[in-house]
Amino acid sequence: MSKFLSGELIKLGASVELRELGKQEGTDVDLPPIVLARYGSDPAKRNILVYGHYDVQPALVEDGWDTDPFTLTKIDDKLYGRGSTDDKGPVIGWINSIEAHQKAGIEFPVNLVMCFEGMEEYGSDGLDDLIKAEKDKFFKDVDATCICDNYWLGTTHPVLTYGIRGCSYYALTVSGPSADLHSGIFGGMVSEPLIDLTHVLAQLVSPQGKILIPGVMDLVAPLTAKEEKLYDDIKYTMQDLYDATGSKTNLFDNEKESLMARWRYPTLSIHGIEGAFSAPGAKTVIPAKVIGKFSLRTVPDITPRALDELVFKYINEVWEKLGSKNKMEIKLLHDGMWWLSSPTHWNFEAAKKATKAVWNVEPDLTREGGSIPVTLTFEEELQKNVLLLPMGRGDDGAHSINEKLDMSNYINGVKTLSAYLHYVAVEPATA
Ligand code: BES
Ligand code: ZN
């Protein structure tokens, strides 16, 4: 993907560097390089940094895809494929914008500074360090940043986003016997790792979504009346939630509490168990070693280190109480910070005008529940405003089966990104 992107960019006349990041920590695997590119170097123009990611979540046909997830397939007016909306479509969108300007013979309005990475879905390994190292070099003259890696809240109304949650991802390993055992022979004679693990996992969160790790909720910034009022104007209905999840499995009965749970409170999700028997059929096995994966979405004012301390302490206490002779290890796999800004900066003003020009409506201003780990790093290190300007819709199925991008969102999305560049080129710098 990094070679493909650099090829496309070079064809369009951009200068491109593939920055190698060395090995992934604790492994012998090369990290995917970061694509650092620049298009234009006119000192009279603004330098706009755009960020996106070319890596994607895993996808297997067996998960239930109707098409091959790694062959982009157009059906009716939708483009299906892993990454169509998250985030290959938007990354290609920036490149389309350059190409469209060239073909139409229109001068490109800004110098485009591009940073496309390949580890976003795994906590952006290596990128924080690169941003810190390059802030006075590659990123030195950036005036504002735009990230296109999020979605509309629903399916009809465009949004601009000024907040996202962080994510801390943990692996809890329980091991005992040296190999998987026959449950008829050894069941009842030995402590079973999967029984221990499920007991611990069950004590992390209630079925109603309440985080059971003491102290986590105490770190959450209090809700102010001003913030609470903002939720009244958001165009989002319970039907949007039913449609996007294909179910009525909502934990809250109203829009406001549902959105608050997604945007401004932490949540804990259990993702899976490595090593557990998961194939079809009935295998009478005692798995010898199992790894439970769970993550917490973090919000102001939770810091990753304070959270780690609470998680590790609680898991150790719960484990002690089990009195098991198995071995337990809890590890943080990756973390990324939350980000919360204010949508009044000129960078947002330009995006509002672009949205209005293309979609003929004012965008809603939203926060989001997902995470883009480097958002805060860009803001803090470069000391420049960051804006999240989405391309896709709330029902695109990012991370799920049959991920799609509607053609109209793709085409109008490229127009919106392009219009944004034209507006941000001339927007008076007010803040
Ligand atoms: N595009 C998403 C982030 C996102 C999700 C923004 C929902 C707005 C709404 C991004 O590619 C993503 O999925 N990030 C991971 C990061 C994590 C592994 C640290 C995520 O949120 O799970
Ligand atoms: Zn993603």
Side-chain angles (χ1 to χ4, degrees), residues 269-324:
S269 299
I270 297 176
H271 306 294
I273 299 177
E274 209 177 302
F277 167 60
S278 64
K283 183 181 180 189
T284 46
V285 66
I286 298 172
K289 177 180 172 182
V290 284
I291 310 174
K293 317 276 181 75
F294 65 95
S295 74
L296 282 111
R297 295 286 168 173
T298 58
V299 296
D301 296 313
I302 299 175
T303 61
R305 294 297 77 79
L307 182 67
D308 289 350
E309 207 174 298
L310 294 174
V311 169
F312 295 158
K313 180 167 177 282
Y314 180 65
I315 295 222
N316 280 310
E317 281 169 12
V318 170
W319 180 258
E320 286 307 313
K321 282 196 203 129
L322 289 188
S324 169

CSV table of all heavy atoms in Angstrom, one decimal, residues 269-324:
chain,number,residue,atom,x,y,z
A,269,SER,N,-15.0,-2.9,26.2
A,269,SER,CA,-15.4,-3.9,25.3
A,269,SER,C,-14.5,-5.1,25.4
A,269,SER,O,-13.3,-5.0,25.5
A,269,SER,CB,-15.4,-3.5,23.9
A,269,SER,OG,-16.3,-2.4,23.7
A,270,ILE,N,-15.2,-6.3,25.3
A,270,ILE,CA,-14.4,-7.6,25.3
A,270,ILE,C,-14.4,-8.0,23.8
A,270,ILE,O,-15.5,-8.2,23.2
A,270,ILE,CB,-15.0,-8.6,26.2
A,270,ILE,CG1,-15.0,-8.1,27.7
A,270,ILE,CG2,-14.3,-9.9,26.1
A,270,ILE,CD1,-15.6,-9.0,28.7
A,271,HIS,N,-13.2,-8.2,23.3
A,271,HIS,CA,-13.1,-8.5,21.8
A,271,HIS,C,-13.0,-9.9,21.4
A,271,HIS,O,-13.5,-10.3,20.4
A,271,HIS,CB,-11.9,-7.7,21.2
A,271,HIS,CG,-12.0,-6.2,21.6
A,271,HIS,ND1,-13.0,-5.4,21.1
A,271,HIS,CD2,-11.2,-5.5,22.4
A,271,HIS,CE1,-12.8,-4.2,21.5
A,271,HIS,NE2,-11.8,-4.2,22.3
A,272,GLY,N,-12.3,-10.7,22.2
A,272,GLY,CA,-12.1,-12.1,21.8
A,272,GLY,C,-11.2,-12.8,22.7
A,272,GLY,O,-10.6,-12.3,23.6
A,273,ILE,N,-11.1,-14.1,22.5
A,273,ILE,CA,-10.2,-15.0,23.3
A,273,ILE,C,-9.3,-15.8,22.3
A,273,ILE,O,-9.9,-16.7,21.6
A,273,ILE,CB,-11.0,-15.9,24.2
A,273,ILE,CG1,-11.8,-15.0,25.2
A,273,ILE,CG2,-10.1,-16.9,25.0
A,273,ILE,CD1,-12.7,-15.8,26.1
A,274,GLU,N,-8.1,-15.5,22.3
A,274,GLU,CA,-7.1,-16.3,21.5
A,274,GLU,C,-6.9,-17.6,22.2
A,274,GLU,O,-6.7,-17.7,23.4
A,274,GLU,CB,-5.8,-15.5,21.4
A,274,GLU,CG,-5.0,-15.7,20.2
A,274,GLU,CD,-3.8,-14.8,20.3
A,274,GLU,OE1,-3.9,-13.5,20.4
A,274,GLU,OE2,-2.6,-15.3,20.2
A,275,GLY,N,-6.8,-18.7,21.5
A,275,GLY,CA,-6.5,-20.0,22.0
A,275,GLY,C,-7.7,-20.8,22.5
A,275,GLY,O,-7.6,-22.0,22.8
A,276,ALA,N,-8.9,-20.1,22.5
A,276,ALA,CA,-10.1,-20.8,22.9
A,276,ALA,C,-10.6,-21.6,21.7
A,276,ALA,O,-10.4,-21.2,20.6
A,276,ALA,CB,-11.2,-19.9,23.4
A,277,PHE,N,-11.3,-22.7,21.9
A,277,PHE,CA,-11.8,-23.5,20.8
A,277,PHE,C,-13.0,-22.7,20.2
A,277,PHE,O,-13.9,-22.3,20.9
A,277,PHE,CB,-12.3,-24.8,21.4
A,277,PHE,CG,-13.2,-25.6,20.4
A,277,PHE,CD1,-12.7,-26.0,19.1
A,277,PHE,CD2,-14.5,-25.9,20.7
A,277,PHE,CE1,-13.5,-26.6,18.2
A,277,PHE,CE2,-15.3,-26.6,19.8
A,277,PHE,CZ,-14.8,-26.9,18.5
A,278,SER,N,-12.8,-22.4,18.9
A,278,SER,CA,-13.9,-21.5,18.3
A,278,SER,C,-14.4,-22.0,17.0
A,278,SER,O,-15.2,-21.4,16.4
A,278,SER,CB,-13.3,-20.1,18.1
A,278,SER,OG,-12.3,-20.1,17.2
A,279,ALA,N,-13.9,-23.2,16.6
A,279,ALA,CA,-14.4,-23.8,15.3
A,279,ALA,C,-15.8,-24.3,15.5
A,279,ALA,O,-16.2,-24.6,16.6
A,279,ALA,CB,-13.4,-24.8,14.9
A,280,PRO,N,-16.5,-24.6,14.4
A,280,PRO,CA,-17.8,-25.2,14.6
A,280,PRO,C,-17.6,-26.6,15.2
A,280,PRO,O,-16.6,-27.2,15.1
A,280,PRO,CB,-18.3,-25.3,13.1
A,280,PRO,CG,-17.4,-24.5,12.3
A,280,PRO,CD,-16.2,-24.3,13.0
A,281,GLY,N,-18.7,-27.2,15.7
A,281,GLY,CA,-18.6,-28.5,16.2
A,281,GLY,C,-18.4,-28.6,17.7
A,281,GLY,O,-18.4,-27.5,18.4
A,282,ALA,N,-18.2,-29.7,18.3
A,282,ALA,CA,-18.1,-29.9,19.7
A,282,ALA,C,-16.9,-30.7,20.0
A,282,ALA,O,-16.8,-31.9,20.0
A,282,ALA,CB,-19.4,-30.6,20.2
A,283,LYS,N,-15.8,-29.9,20.3
A,283,LYS,CA,-14.5,-30.5,20.7
A,283,LYS,C,-14.4,-30.6,22.2
A,283,LYS,O,-14.5,-29.5,22.8
A,283,LYS,CB,-13.4,-29.7,20.0
A,283,LYS,CG,-12.0,-30.2,20.2
A,283,LYS,CD,-11.0,-29.3,19.6
A,283,LYS,CE,-9.6,-29.7,19.7
A,283,LYS,NZ,-8.6,-28.7,19.3
A,284,THR,N,-14.2,-31.7,22.8
A,284,THR,CA,-14.1,-31.8,24.2
A,284,THR,C,-12.6,-31.6,24.7
A,284,THR,O,-11.9,-32.5,25.0
A,284,THR,CB,-14.6,-33.2,24.7
A,284,THR,OG1,-14.0,-34.2,23.9
A,284,THR,CG2,-16.1,-33.3,24.6
A,285,VAL,N,-12.3,-30.3,24.7
A,285,VAL,CA,-10.9,-29.9,25.0
A,285,VAL,C,-10.8,-29.0,26.1
A,285,VAL,O,-11.8,-28.2,26.4
A,285,VAL,CB,-10.3,-29.3,23.7
A,285,VAL,CG1,-10.9,-28.0,23.3
A,285,VAL,CG2,-8.8,-29.2,23.8
A,286,ILE,N,-9.7,-29.0,26.8
A,286,ILE,CA,-9.4,-28.0,27.8
A,286,ILE,C,-8.2,-27.2,27.2
A,286,ILE,O,-7.1,-27.7,27.2
A,286,ILE,CB,-9.0,-28.6,29.2
A,286,ILE,CG1,-10.1,-29.4,29.8
A,286,ILE,CG2,-8.6,-27.5,30.1
A,286,ILE,CD1,-9.7,-30.2,31.0
A,287,PRO,N,-8.5,-26.0,26.7
A,287,PRO,CA,-7.4,-25.2,26.1
A,287,PRO,C,-6.3,-24.9,27.2
A,287,PRO,O,-6.7,-24.5,28.3
A,287,PRO,CB,-8.1,-23.9,25.6
A,287,PRO,CG,-9.5,-24.3,25.5
A,287,PRO,CD,-9.8,-25.3,26.6
A,288,ALA,N,-5.1,-25.0,26.8
A,288,ALA,CA,-4.0,-24.9,27.8
A,288,ALA,C,-3.6,-23.4,28.1
A,288,ALA,O,-3.1,-23.1,29.1
A,288,ALA,CB,-2.7,-25.6,27.3
A,289,LYS,N,-3.8,-22.6,27.0
A,289,LYS,CA,-3.4,-21.2,27.2
A,289,LYS,C,-4.4,-20.3,26.4
A,289,LYS,O,-4.6,-20.6,25.3
A,289,LYS,CB,-2.0,-21.0,26.6
A,289,LYS,CG,-1.5,-19.6,26.7
A,289,LYS,CD,-0.1,-19.5,26.1
A,289,LYS,CE,0.3,-18.1,25.9
A,289,LYS,NZ,1.6,-17.9,25.3
A,290,VAL,N,-5.0,-19.4,27.1
A,290,VAL,CA,-6.0,-18.5,26.5
A,290,VAL,C,-5.6,-17.0,26.8
A,290,VAL,O,-5.1,-16.7,27.8
A,290,VAL,CB,-7.4,-18.8,27.0
A,290,VAL,CG1,-7.9,-20.1,26.3
A,290,VAL,CG2,-7.5,-18.9,28.5
A,291,ILE,N,-5.9,-16.2,25.8
A,291,ILE,CA,-5.6,-14.8,25.9
A,291,ILE,C,-6.9,-14.0,25.7
A,291,ILE,O,-7.4,-14.0,24.5
A,291,ILE,CB,-4.5,-14.3,24.9
A,291,ILE,CG1,-3.3,-15.3,25.0
A,291,ILE,CG2,-4.1,-12.9,25.2
A,291,ILE,CD1,-2.2,-15.0,23.9
A,292,GLY,N,-7.4,-13.3,26.7
A,292,GLY,CA,-8.6,-12.5,26.5
A,292,GLY,C,-8.1,-11.1,26.1
A,292,GLY,O,-7.2,-10.5,26.7
A,293,LYS,N,-8.8,-10.6,25.1
A,293,LYS,CA,-8.5,-9.2,24.6
A,293,LYS,C,-9.7,-8.3,25.0
A,293,LYS,O,-10.8,-8.6,24.7
A,293,LYS,CB,-8.4,-9.2,23.1
A,293,LYS,CG,-7.6,-10.4,22.5
A,293,LYS,CD,-6.1,-10.1,22.6
A,293,LYS,CE,-5.4,-11.3,22.0
A,293,LYS,NZ,-5.4,-11.4,20.5
A,294,PHE,N,-9.3,-7.2,25.6
A,294,PHE,CA,-10.4,-6.2,25.9
A,294,PHE,C,-9.7,-4.8,25.8
A,294,PHE,O,-8.5,-4.6,25.9
A,294,PHE,CB,-11.0,-6.4,27.3
A,294,PHE,CG,-10.1,-6.2,28.5
A,294,PHE,CD1,-10.0,-5.0,29.1
A,294,PHE,CD2,-9.3,-7.3,28.9
A,294,PHE,CE1,-9.1,-4.8,30.2
A,294,PHE,CE2,-8.4,-7.1,30.0
A,294,PHE,CZ,-8.3,-5.9,30.6
A,295,SER,N,-10.6,-3.8,25.6
A,295,SER,CA,-10.1,-2.4,25.5
A,295,SER,C,-11.1,-1.5,26.2
A,295,SER,O,-12.2,-1.8,26.4
A,295,SER,CB,-9.9,-2.0,24.1
A,295,SER,OG,-11.2,-1.7,23.5
A,296,LEU,N,-10.5,-0.4,26.7
A,296,LEU,CA,-11.3,0.7,27.2
A,296,LEU,C,-11.2,1.9,26.3
A,296,LEU,O,-10.1,2.3,25.9
A,296,LEU,CB,-10.9,1.1,28.6
A,296,LEU,CG,-11.3,0.1,29.7
A,296,LEU,CD1,-10.1,-0.6,30.3
A,296,LEU,CD2,-12.1,0.9,30.8
A,297,ARG,N,-12.3,2.5,26.0
A,297,ARG,CA,-12.3,3.8,25.3
A,297,ARG,C,-12.2,4.9,26.3
A,297,ARG,O,-13.0,4.9,27.3
A,297,ARG,CB,-13.6,4.0,24.5
A,297,ARG,CG,-13.8,3.0,23.4
A,297,ARG,CD,-12.9,3.2,22.2
A,297,ARG,NE,-12.9,2.1,21.2
A,297,ARG,CZ,-12.3,2.1,20.1
A,297,ARG,NH1,-11.6,3.2,19.7
A,297,ARG,NH2,-12.3,1.1,19.3
A,298,THR,N,-11.3,5.8,26.2
A,298,THR,CA,-11.0,6.8,27.2
A,298,THR,C,-11.5,8.2,26.8
A,298,THR,O,-11.6,8.5,25.6
A,298,THR,CB,-9.5,6.8,27.6
A,298,THR,OG1,-8.8,7.1,26.4
A,298,THR,CG2,-9.1,5.4,28.1
A,299,VAL,N,-11.7,9.0,27.8
A,299,VAL,CA,-12.3,10.3,27.6
A,299,VAL,C,-11.6,11.3,28.6
A,299,VAL,O,-10.9,10.8,29.5
A,299,VAL,CB,-13.8,10.3,27.9
A,299,VAL,CG1,-14.6,9.4,26.9
A,299,VAL,CG2,-14.1,9.9,29.3
A,300,PRO,N,-11.8,12.6,28.4
A,300,PRO,CA,-11.3,13.5,29.3
A,300,PRO,C,-11.8,13.2,30.7
A,300,PRO,O,-13.0,12.9,30.8
A,300,PRO,CB,-11.9,14.9,28.9
A,300,PRO,CG,-12.2,14.7,27.4
A,300,PRO,CD,-12.5,13.3,27.3
A,301,ASP,N,-11.0,13.2,31.8
A,301,ASP,CA,-9.6,13.5,31.9
A,301,ASP,C,-8.7,12.2,32.2
A,301,ASP,O,-7.8,12.2,33.0
A,301,ASP,CB,-9.4,14.5,33.0
A,301,ASP,CG,-10.0,15.8,32.7
A,301,ASP,OD1,-9.8,16.3,31.6
A,301,ASP,OD2,-10.7,16.4,33.6
A,302,ILE,N,-9.1,11.1,31.6
A,302,ILE,CA,-8.4,9.8,31.9
A,302,ILE,C,-7.1,9.8,31.1
A,302,ILE,O,-7.0,10.1,29.9
A,302,ILE,CB,-9.2,8.6,31.4
A,302,ILE,CG1,-10.6,8.5,32.1
A,302,ILE,CG2,-8.5,7.3,31.5
A,302,ILE,CD1,-11.5,7.5,31.6
A,303,THR,N,-6.0,9.6,31.9
A,303,THR,CA,-4.7,9.4,31.2
A,303,THR,C,-4.4,7.9,31.1
A,303,THR,O,-4.7,7.1,32.0
A,303,THR,CB,-3.6,10.1,31.9
A,303,THR,OG1,-3.4,9.5,33.2
A,303,THR,CG2,-3.8,11.6,32.0
A,304,PRO,N,-3.7,7.5,30.0
A,304,PRO,CA,-3.4,6.1,29.9
A,304,PRO,C,-2.7,5.5,31.1
A,304,PRO,O,-3.0,4.4,31.5
A,304,PRO,CB,-2.5,6.0,28.6
A,304,PRO,CG,-2.9,7.2,27.8
A,304,PRO,CD,-3.2,8.3,28.8
A,305,ARG,N,-1.7,6.2,31.6
A,305,ARG,CA,-1.0,5.6,32.8
A,305,ARG,C,-1.8,5.4,34.0
A,305,ARG,O,-1.8,4.4,34.7
A,305,ARG,CB,0.3,6.4,33.1
A,305,ARG,CG,1.4,6.5,32.0
A,305,ARG,CD,2.0,5.2,31.7
A,305,ARG,NE,1.2,4.3,30.9
A,305,ARG,CZ,1.0,4.4,29.5
A,305,ARG,NH1,1.7,5.3,28.9
A,305,ARG,NH2,0.3,3.6,28.9
A,306,ALA,N,-2.7,6.4,34.3
A,306,ALA,CA,-3.6,6.3,35.4
A,306,ALA,C,-4.5,5.1,35.2
A,306,ALA,O,-4.8,4.4,36.2
A,306,ALA,CB,-4.4,7.6,35.6
A,307,LEU,N,-5.0,5.0,34.0
A,307,LEU,CA,-5.9,3.9,33.7
A,307,LEU,C,-5.2,2.5,33.9
A,307,LEU,O,-5.7,1.6,34.5
A,307,LEU,CB,-6.4,4.0,32.3
A,307,LEU,CG,-7.5,2.9,31.9
A,307,LEU,CD1,-8.7,3.1,32.7
A,307,LEU,CD2,-7.8,3.0,30.4
A,308,ASP,N,-4.0,2.4,33.3
A,308,ASP,CA,-3.2,1.1,33.4
A,308,ASP,C,-3.1,0.7,34.9
A,308,ASP,O,-3.3,-0.4,35.3
A,308,ASP,CB,-1.8,1.3,32.9
A,308,ASP,CG,-1.7,1.4,31.4
A,308,ASP,OD1,-2.8,1.2,30.8
A,308,ASP,OD2,-0.6,1.8,30.9
A,309,GLU,N,-2.8,1.7,35.7
A,309,GLU,CA,-2.6,1.4,37.2
A,309,GLU,C,-3.9,0.8,37.7
A,309,GLU,O,-3.9,-0.2,38.4
A,309,GLU,CB,-2.3,2.7,37.9
A,309,GLU,CG,-1.5,2.5,39.1
A,309,GLU,CD,-1.1,3.8,39.7
A,309,GLU,OE1,-0.3,4.6,39.0
A,309,GLU,OE2,-1.5,4.1,40.8
A,310,LEU,N,-5.1,1.4,37.4
A,310,LEU,CA,-6.3,0.9,37.9
A,310,LEU,C,-6.6,-0.5,37.4
A,310,LEU,O,-7.1,-1.4,38.1
A,310,LEU,CB,-7.5,1.9,37.6
A,310,LEU,CG,-7.4,3.3,38.2
A,310,LEU,CD1,-8.5,4.1,37.6
A,310,LEU,CD2,-7.6,3.2,39.7
A,311,VAL,N,-6.4,-0.7,36.1
A,311,VAL,CA,-6.7,-2.0,35.4
A,311,VAL,C,-5.8,-3.1,36.0
A,311,VAL,O,-6.3,-4.1,36.4
A,311,VAL,CB,-6.5,-1.9,33.9
A,311,VAL,CG1,-6.5,-3.2,33.3
A,311,VAL,CG2,-7.6,-0.9,33.3
A,312,PHE,N,-4.5,-2.8,36.1
A,312,PHE,CA,-3.6,-3.8,36.6
A,312,PHE,C,-3.9,-4.2,38.1
A,312,PHE,O,-3.9,-5.4,38.4
A,312,PHE,CB,-2.1,-3.4,36.5
A,312,PHE,CG,-1.7,-3.2,35.1
A,312,PHE,CD1,-0.6,-2.4,34.7
A,312,PHE,CD2,-2.3,-3.8,34.0
A,312,PHE,CE1,-0.2,-2.2,33.4
A,312,PHE,CE2,-1.9,-3.7,32.7
A,312,PHE,CZ,-0.9,-2.9,32.4
A,313,LYS,N,-4.1,-3.2,38.9
A,313,LYS,CA,-4.4,-3.4,40.3
A,313,LYS,C,-5.7,-4.3,40.5
A,313,LYS,O,-5.7,-5.3,41.2
A,313,LYS,CB,-4.6,-2.1,41.0
A,313,LYS,CG,-4.9,-2.1,42.5
A,313,LYS,CD,-4.7,-0.7,43.1
A,313,LYS,CE,-5.0,-0.7,44.6
A,313,LYS,NZ,-6.4,-0.7,44.9
A,314,TYR,N,-6.7,-3.9,39.8
A,314,TYR,CA,-8.0,-4.6,39.9
A,314,TYR,C,-7.9,-6.0,39.4
A,314,TYR,O,-8.3,-7.0,40.1
A,314,TYR,CB,-9.1,-3.9,39.1
A,314,TYR,CG,-10.4,-4.5,39.1
A,314,TYR,CD1,-11.2,-4.6,40.3
A,314,TYR,CD2,-11.0,-5.0,38.0
A,314,TYR,CE1,-12.4,-5.2,40.4
A,314,TYR,CE2,-12.3,-5.6,38.0
A,314,TYR,CZ,-13.0,-5.7,39.2
A,314,TYR,OH,-14.2,-6.2,39.3
A,315,ILE,N,-7.2,-6.2,38.3
A,315,ILE,CA,-7.1,-7.6,37.7
A,315,ILE,C,-6.3,-8.5,38.7
A,315,ILE,O,-6.6,-9.6,38.9
A,315,ILE,CB,-6.5,-7.5,36.3
A,315,ILE,CG1,-7.5,-6.8,35.4
A,315,ILE,CG2,-6.1,-8.9,35.8
A,315,ILE,CD1,-7.7,-7.3,34.0
A,316,ASN,N,-5.3,-7.9,39.2
A,316,ASN,CA,-4.5,-8.7,40.2
A,316,ASN,C,-5.3,-9.1,41.4
A,316,ASN,O,-5.2,-10.2,41.9
A,316,ASN,CB,-3.2,-7.9,40.6
A,316,ASN,CG,-2.1,-8.1,39.5
A,316,ASN,OD1,-1.8,-9.2,39.0
A,316,ASN,ND2,-1.6,-6.9,39.0
A,317,GLU,N,-6.1,-8.1,41.9
A,317,GLU,CA,-6.9,-8.4,43.0
A,317,GLU,C,-7.9,-9.5,42.7
A,317,GLU,O,-8.1,-10.5,43.5
A,317,GLU,CB,-7.7,-7.2,43.5
A,317,GLU,CG,-6.9,-6.2,44.3
A,317,GLU,CD,-7.6,-4.9,44.5
A,317,GLU,OE1,-8.8,-4.8,44.2
A,317,GLU,OE2,-6.9,-3.9,44.9
A,318,VAL,N,-8.6,-9.4,41.6
A,318,VAL,CA,-9.6,-10.4,41.2
A,318,VAL,C,-9.0,-11.8,41.0
A,318,VAL,O,-9.5,-12.8,41.4
A,318,VAL,CB,-10.3,-10.0,39.9
A,318,VAL,CG1,-11.2,-11.1,39.3
A,318,VAL,CG2,-11.1,-8.7,40.1
A,319,TRP,N,-7.8,-11.7,40.4
A,319,TRP,CA,-7.0,-13.0,40.2
A,319,TRP,C,-6.7,-13.7,41.5
A,319,TRP,O,-6.9,-14.9,41.7
A,319,TRP,CB,-5.8,-12.7,39.4
A,319,TRP,CG,-5.0,-14.0,39.1
A,319,TRP,CD1,-3.9,-14.4,39.8
A,319,TRP,CD2,-5.4,-15.0,38.2
A,319,TRP,NE1,-3.5,-15.6,39.3
A,319,TRP,CE2,-4.4,-16.0,38.3
A,319,TRP,CE3,-6.4,-15.2,37.3
A,319,TRP,CZ2,-4.4,-17.2,37.6
A,319,TRP,CZ3,-6.4,-16.4,36.5
A,319,TRP,CH2,-5.5,-17.4,36.7
A,320,GLU,N,-6.2,-12.9,42.5
A,320,GLU,CA,-5.8,-13.4,43.8
A,320,GLU,C,-7.0,-14.1,44.4
A,320,GLU,O,-6.9,-15.2,44.9
A,320,GLU,CB,-5.3,-12.3,44.7
A,320,GLU,CG,-4.0,-11.8,44.4
A,320,GLU,CD,-2.9,-12.9,44.4
A,320,GLU,OE1,-2.9,-13.7,45.3
A,320,GLU,OE2,-2.1,-12.9,43.4
A,321,LYS,N,-8.2,-13.5,44.3
A,321,LYS,CA,-9.4,-14.1,44.9
A,321,LYS,C,-9.8,-15.4,44.3
A,321,LYS,O,-10.4,-16.2,44.9
A,321,LYS,CB,-10.5,-13.1,44.8
A,321,LYS,CG,-10.4,-12.0,45.8
A,321,LYS,CD,-11.8,-11.3,46.0
A,321,LYS,CE,-11.5,-9.9,46.6
A,321,LYS,NZ,-12.1,-8.8,45.8
A,322,LEU,N,-9.4,-15.7,43.0
A,322,LEU,CA,-9.7,-16.9,42.4
A,322,LEU,C,-9.0,-18.1,43.0
A,322,LEU,O,-9.4,-19.2,43.0
A,322,LEU,CB,-9.4,-16.9,40.9
A,322,LEU,CG,-10.2,-16.1,39.9
A,322,LEU,CD1,-9.7,-16.4,38.5
A,322,LEU,CD2,-11.7,-16.3,40.0
A,323,GLY,N,-7.8,-17.8,43.5
A,323,GLY,CA,-7.0,-18.8,44.2
A,323,GLY,C,-6.6,-19.9,43.2
A,323,GLY,O,-6.4,-21.1,43.6
A,324,SER,N,-6.3,-19.6,42.0
A,324,SER,CA,-6.0,-20.6,41.0
A,324,SER,C,-4.5,-20.8,40.9
A,324,SER,O,-3.7,-19.9,41.2
A,324,SER,CB,-6.5,-20.1,39.6
A,324,SER,OG,-5.9,-20.9,38.6
